[in-house]
Amino acid sequence: MARVGIVMGSDSDMPVMAQAAAVLEKLGVDFEMTIISAHREPDVFFEYAKSAEKRGCKVIIAGAGKAAHLPGMCAALFPMPVIGIPMKTSDLGGVDSLYSIVQMPSGIPVATVAINGGTNAGILAAKILATSDEALLERLKQYSEDLKHDVMKKAEKLDEIGYKAYLDGMKK
């Protein structure tokens, strides 16, 4: 089975990256997860990115904040899709990370999701893999149906109890 690599530059990124892992787990997609600093341990990072294909990775999800070099460097070394997750930072709210990831030079693309968009990164990775995996495609279709039903249930509840009671229930 195809594998997704999930890599982050710091353990402070773990809550967001865990969202990607949770979606992949729910969809039955194999993944590996690690922490590597492209700046503090470049030799370890280069080995990770260069050997990912041999380990069965078909997509890498890379999360990074501030200078946000990790996704772009993965894309420079890994021949298959890389999805970048810009992390919200205390300094500039993640806009610095977003610009660093999305403004890649021609020839080195990084698909980029929203700031702290771990869930969407996991879904996007699964969608990429589903282009050649019919069973995964069916699980993705069911995932979308489940989302639709969740929204419909919330709308029904709102209709039933009214917006004030709905808001009160959200506060609890």
Side-chain angles (χ1 to χ4, degrees):
M1 174 182 262
R3 170 180 272 192
V4 175
I6 300 176
V7 62
M8 65 204 90
S10 169
D11 64 347
S12 63
D13 302 334
M14 184 62 76
V16 173
M17 303 308 282
Q19 294 170 8
V23 168
L24 294 172
E25 259 180 7
K26 183 174 186 163
L27 293 169
V29 176
D30 188 32
F31 66 91
E32 62 182 34
M33 182 184 280
T34 193
I35 302 166
I36 303 172
S37 172
H39 296 110
R40 294 182 185 97
E41 47 186 3
D43 52 333
V44 174
F45 168 74
F46 271 74
E47 179 57 33
Y48 170 82
K50 286 184 171 187
S51 65
E53 182 181 5
K54 289 179 190 160
R55 291 192 314 277
C57 291
K58 301 294 183 195
V59 180
I60 291 178
I61 298 172
K66 300 197 181 199
H69 288 98
L70 198 61
M73 288 303 297
C74 282
L77 297 168
F78 181 68
M80 289 180 266
V82 174
I83 302 166
I85 304 176
M87 295 295 158
K88 185 173 183 180
T89 59
S90 57
D91 301 330
L92 298 173
V95 174
D96 51 338
S97 309
L98 174 65
Y99 288 163
S100 293
I101 296 170
V102 79
Q103 292 290 14
M104 292 300 297
S106 293
I108 313 293
V110 174
T112 308
V113 296
I115 296 167
N116 282 359
T119 299
N120 275 352
I123 293 168
L124 181 56
K127 286 185 173 194
I128 290 167
L129 296 176
T131 61
S132 61
D133 184 334
E134 195 65 35
L136 178 55
L137 179 59
E138 290 306 312
R139 292 192 300 274
L140 275 164
K141 288 177 181 179
Q142 185 60 54
Y143 180 86
S144 293
E145 274 299 306
D146 293 346
L147 291 177
K148 175 183 167 183
H149 289 298
D150 289 347
V151 173
M152 290 170 63
K153 283 187 216 170
K154 291 174 184 177
E156 288 170 9
K157 182 177 178 184
L158 176 60
D159 289 344
E160 182 182 309
I161 65 173
Y163 82 92
K164 288 182 181 178
Y166 194 93
L167 285 174
D168 287 342
M170 291 176 68
K171 292 175 186 174
K172 294 178 185 177

